[in-house]
Amino acid sequence: MSESGQDSIQHSSRASATTSRNQQNYIGRVAITQKEPTSPRDFWAWINPREEIAVGSLIVAEDPADPRSRILAIVDDAKSTSRMESLEQEFFSHDFGNPQAQVSTIPTVIKAVHCQVINRERTILTPLSSRYLIRRATINDIQDLLVSNIDPRKRILAGFVKICDNEADLQCWAPVYYHSDFVLGPEGAHVNISGITGLATKTSYAIFLAYSILAWARDVGERIAIIMFNVKRRDLIDLHNMPPDWNTAERNIQNWGHNKGLPRSVVDKNIALWRAMRNAGVDPLDLLPSIRIFTFRNDPDLHYINTVVQQTQGHQHYANIQAYIYSYGFLDLTRDEIIAAIGKELSEAMIAIVDRFLEEVYTHIQHYRSPPTYRCTINNQRVSIPADSFDNWYRIFYYCYGISQEERRSARAVARRLRAFLARSTHVIERQRSHGQPIEIVTQQNPNVIGIDEGINIIQLYRLSDDEKRVVVNAVLRRVTEALEQGVANFNRAVVFIDELNKYAPREKSPIKELIIDIAARGRDLMLSLIGAEQFASEIDTEVYENCSTKVIGQSGTAELSEPIYKYLLGFKEYATMLEKGQMIIYHPPLRIPLIVSFPVLLHETRRP
């Protein structure tokens, strides 16, 4: 082709792009004033008074004549002003404060928005010096300027940003993605979700994220085990109660909205968000991951778990799910799990004597394949007590363990703690047996064992004492970590969701949080990712929180948001108090700036009988 022909095509292309931009619905312009200067990071813009631009909206500033001038920005503040100089002047102009007064001249109201720059089509770190036109961002803008730096094979759906006013239109919702390397490793890992209980929908977002991760895993050929601890009511134990098809799913959403007295707009919004999710490749009725539920023998919800799908005519793929029963005996647990069990305020002397005793037990088992036996005098009778159960450990420590008087006192103090623990732990602790039915890990060598495997694994903790919860969480995390370290698990990645993370990794000194700290520090190398949730992020261990590369905030209180750890929220901090259910502020390093995203009500939540 001749050079003149190429020039003609390029000129035609530029002309077409310019014509297309001239046809855009521009709604304002960048403002450059003494009071509102621009910088490489932000700018103010005035907006047509008829337009409603909410905080969190994505906008584009551009020069229609320049095909590479687009600047994607997010609105983090907004104001309306007029030429009235003061509130008093407004008051007096309305007949000395008469709201019904008809004034001769109504001052023009000027709407303005403050925008944080997310990305530029042309990377030049200079302040805007032209009064670019402003328009709403489109899905193409978001794809080009927000997620373009994330390889399509690395994208995990994070939620949707709203790009128009019609929330019932799925085209109004533009998908936003996390970078898998920063959620699951190796570049970073871990997600922290915080917010007010009942209002922030932390667990719902964790489930939404779990499905997004599983959809990504299927697309790229990864085998991922999602492990989720259920700590509140029926938050997770009916996750398998899926509708049989999408027509039923949408009817369920309509019925759910009607039963809760929600406006039609909320129902339509959730249906649109689910359609947008399916377009983005996250479809639970297509994924149909394996779901396993582990609970304790006398769980009052056991019958509900085993029958809810049949009772509500749910998806046949999950109709025959039956919960697995788990429990732990003395020899099923390690030193750290036992320390976590009997209390978090043990003295150094008490910890030292427990350590010595457990070392004796484990060493004897290693050499002789059985625990040691201790000779004791009880009620003037010599008895032999094998160290093979919690009850026997109590008897050994209370009656005969320790050489010196000081050791005897420490042993008896431990025995009293142990007795209190056993009195509280009536669901998952086997008092008189060496072994229970611990939650195992499915391995390549033993693929038929009943245990944690690829897909979703729900572990019931609701109604357990705090001591029992710590035992189970520590035991499961230890087994998953060991399986990944040794490369024997039947999956190559694991994601663990822990609600009420502050109980397992509190900010104050505690021996029970060491495993969580270790996972936070080394998880990205092990391909073990933690999704932690809590009401107040300020209450969890600083090292754990700082190792979470992705932070998610639901509705939160002003007192909590005043903590220094939320400084990354920038101008969004005050708006975190006004988030609706199904809205989160996310901060993810590859996205550069906090974003407000939405996600739909979960399908199983709309089917609860």
Side-chain angles (χ1 to χ4, degrees):
M1 181 181 293
S2 67
E3 290 185 7
S4 61
Q6 289 179 335
D7 290 344
S8 175
I9 290 175
Q10 291 172 357
H11 175 77
S12 174
S13 176
R14 286 195 296 270
S16 175
T18 301
T19 301
S20 175
R21 294 195 177 199
N22 284 332
Q23 293 172 349
Q24 293 284 0
N25 182 24
Y26 291 109
I27 60 174
R29 280 189 182 270
V30 172
I32 306 175
T33 72
Q34 289 184 356
K35 290 183 178 180
E36 293 89 9
T38 65
S39 81
R41 301 177 306 278
D42 64 344
F43 59 86
W44 282 91
W46 58 260
I47 300 297
N48 187 310
R50 294 188 297 274
E51 296 290 336
E52 296 291 339
I53 300 294
V55 170
S57 299
L58 295 181
I59 59 95
V60 168
E62 67 183 3
D63 176 359
D66 184 347
R68 296 193 65 245
S69 63
R70 283 184 302 173
I71 297 174
L72 181 67
I74 185 168
V75 175
D76 69 349
D77 199 3
K79 64 181 180 180
S80 293
T81 185
S82 75
R83 296 195 66 178
M84 283 288 186
E85 294 182 356
S86 66
L87 181 64
E88 289 80 2
Q89 192 175 354
E90 277 274 5
F91 176 84
F92 290 128
S93 70
H94 284 77
D95 192 17
F96 291 86
N98 177 8
Q100 303 296 326
Q102 298 295 317
V103 296
S104 57
T105 304
I106 299 177
T108 300
V109 172
I110 303 169
K111 288 186 176 181
V113 293
H114 183 259
C115 305
Q116 290 280 347
V117 174
I118 298 175
N119 200 10
R120 300 168 181 244
E121 201 162 12
R122 186 185 295 114
T123 308
I124 304 175
L125 295 180
T126 59
L128 277 173
S129 57
S130 297
R131 290 173 172 81
Y132 280 12
L133 285 163
I134 300 294
R135 60 176 172 82
R136 297 174 188 267
T138 66
I139 289 179
N140 286 340
D141 294 322
I142 292 167
Q143 290 294 322
D144 294 344
L145 297 173
L146 182 60
V147 299
S148 59
N149 62 327
I150 302 177
D151 186 306
R153 287 180 58 83
K154 300 284 188 179
R155 293 177 183 176
I156 294 174
L157 185 64
F160 297 87
V161 293
K162 191 173 76 167
I163 58 174
C164 71
D165 293 328
N166 183 11
E167 295 184 344
D169 182 358
L170 70 88
Q171 296 300 321
C172 189
W173 301 102
V176 176
Y177 299 93
Y178 293 133
H179 194 303
S180 61
D181 287 352
F182 286 83
V183 173
L184 305 173
E187 295 298 326
H190 318 310
V191 178
N192 186 268
I193 309 171
S194 62
I196 298 172
T197 297
L199 297 176
T201 55
K202 301 184 293 292
T203 301
S204 295
Y205 186 77
I207 297 170
F208 162 83
L209 185 54
Y211 277 113
S212 297
I213 290 171
L214 289 172
W216 168 84
R218 182 187 64 177
D219 292 344
V220 300
E222 293 272 3
R223 301 192 316 279
I224 292 187
I226 307 283
I227 302 135
M228 310 186 82
F229 295 96
N230 185 65
V231 299
K232 291 193 290 287
R233 297 179 294 279
R234 293 175 175 174
D235 279 2
L236 298 171
I237 60 171
D238 56 358
L239 195 59
H240 57 307
N241 188 21
M242 286 290 170
D245 53 62
W246 275 106
N247 287 333
T248 304
E250 294 194 359
R251 285 197 301 273
N252 289 343
I253 294 172
Q254 292 169 349
N255 293 336
W256 162 83
H258 175 75
N259 293 337
K260 286 187 170 290
L262 300 175
R264 178 71 193 191
S265 59
V266 174
V267 172
D268 292 343
K269 170 184 172 180
N270 278 278
I271 290 174
L273 281 167
W274 268 116
R275 291 174 179 175
M277 275 187 68
R278 294 163 65 191
N279 280 357
V282 181
D283 182 346
L285 301 188
D286 179 47
L287 277 171
L288 292 177
S290 297
I291 296 178
R292 292 162 217 87
I293 303 173
F294 303 87
T295 191
F296 45 93
R297 185 173 295 105
N298 55 349
D299 180 5
D301 284 323
L302 183 59
H303 179 72
Y304 174 84
I305 294 169
N306 291 342
T307 62
V308 65
V309 177
Q310 295 94 320
Q311 288 177 351
T312 59
Q313 297 181 336
H315 202 293
Q316 286 301 301
H317 183 76
Y318 298 118
N320 297 318
I321 282 184
Q322 299 287 292
Y324 301 116
I325 304 301
Y326 73 87
S327 63
Y328 289 89
F330 176 58
L331 297 184
D332 293 323
L333 302 175
T334 66
R335 177 264 184 198
D336 290 340
E337 289 139 26
I338 288 173
I339 292 292
I342 62 177
K344 58 182 180 179
E345 296 179 356
L346 299 177
S347 68
E348 291 185 6
M350 293 163 69
I351 291 175
I353 203 165
V354 170
D355 281 343
R356 192 179 76 190
F357 171 70
L358 294 178
E359 184 177 357
E360 291 170 3
V361 172
Y362 299 147
T363 301
H364 199 278
I365 291 173
Q366 185 177 5
H367 286 97
Y368 303 105
R369 298 185 179 180
S370 63
T373 297
Y374 292 83
R375 298 283 295 173
C376 296
T377 300
I378 302 176
N379 297 328
N380 297 320
Q381 291 185 347
R382 294 289 288 174
V383 295
S384 297
I385 307 176
D388 61 357
S389 70
F390 279 106
D391 274 355
N392 283 352
W393 178 20
Y394 167 78
R395 294 171 65 202
I396 291 166
F397 265 46
Y398 192 81
Y399 291 107
C400 62
Y401 197 78
I403 299 173
S404 65
Q405 284 294 109
E406 184 178 348
E407 286 185 344
R408 289 285 182 92
R409 282 196 296 270
S410 294
R412 284 204 165 193
V414 171
R416 288 191 292 271
R417 298 292 183 88
L418 182 58
R419 180 174 58 190
F421 161 71
L422 293 175
R424 294 189 296 267
S425 305
T426 59
H427 297 299
V428 300
I429 298 300
E430 301 283 359
R431 294 183 56 151
Q432 299 176 349
R433 296 173 56 196
S434 302
H435 296 281
Q437 296 172 278
I439 299 173
E440 304 284 356
I441 307 296
V442 177
T443 64
Q444 298 160 7
Q445 293 78 12
N446 195 358
N448 297 320
V449 69
I450 296 173
I452 290 170
D453 199 0
E454 182 180 2
I456 297 177
N457 305 269
I458 307 299
I459 299 172
Q460 173 72 301
L461 298 183
Y462 181 51
R463 296 188 180 90
L464 299 187
S465 68
D466 286 347
D467 297 332
E468 290 175 301
K469 290 176 183 177
R470 288 194 292 268
V471 168
V472 177
V473 170
N474 274 269
V476 170
L477 291 182
R478 184 250 307 171
R479 287 178 182 252
V480 171
T481 302
E482 289 175 350
L484 289 172
E485 272 184 321
Q486 297 164 10
V488 298
N490 201 45
F491 43 88
N492 53 8
R493 292 178 185 266
V495 177
V496 179
F497 170 62
I498 303 178
D499 200 356
E500 298 179 352
L501 183 61
N502 52 296
K503 291 186 177 181
Y504 308 99
R507 184 176 287 264
E508 68 268 16
K509 183 179 179 181
S510 171
I512 67 173
K513 66 181 179 181
E514 297 307 317
L515 183 56
I516 302 287
I517 291 175
D518 183 58
I519 289 172
R522 297 194 303 124
R524 63 181 184 177
D525 297 321
L526 297 173
M527 300 302 173
L528 172 57
S529 190
L530 173 68
I531 301 176
E534 68 288 318
Q535 186 170 356
F536 305 120
S538 59
E539 292 183 353
I540 67 170
D541 183 85
T542 302
E543 188 175 350
V544 173
Y545 187 73
E546 291 302 325
N547 269 305
C548 293
S549 62
T550 300
K551 297 176 176 66
V552 180
I553 310 293
Q555 187 181 131
S556 301
T558 53
E560 171 67 7
L561 290 168
S562 66
E563 294 287 337
I565 61 171
Y566 295 100
K567 60 185 178 182
Y568 63 86
L569 287 176
L570 304 176
F572 290 101
K573 188 180 292 188
E574 62 186 274
Y575 296 103
T577 64
M578 298 181 283
L579 293 173
E580 301 173 1
K581 278 195 171 186
Q583 280 188 323
M584 295 289 189
I585 300 176
I586 64 172
Y587 176 77
H588 185 63
L591 298 178
R592 301 189 177 101
I593 203 164
L595 295 172
I596 298 177
V597 300
S598 297
F599 67 99
V601 61
L602 299 175
L603 297 181
H604 72 284
E605 290 181 2
T606 67
R607 295 180 55 77
R608 285 180 174 149

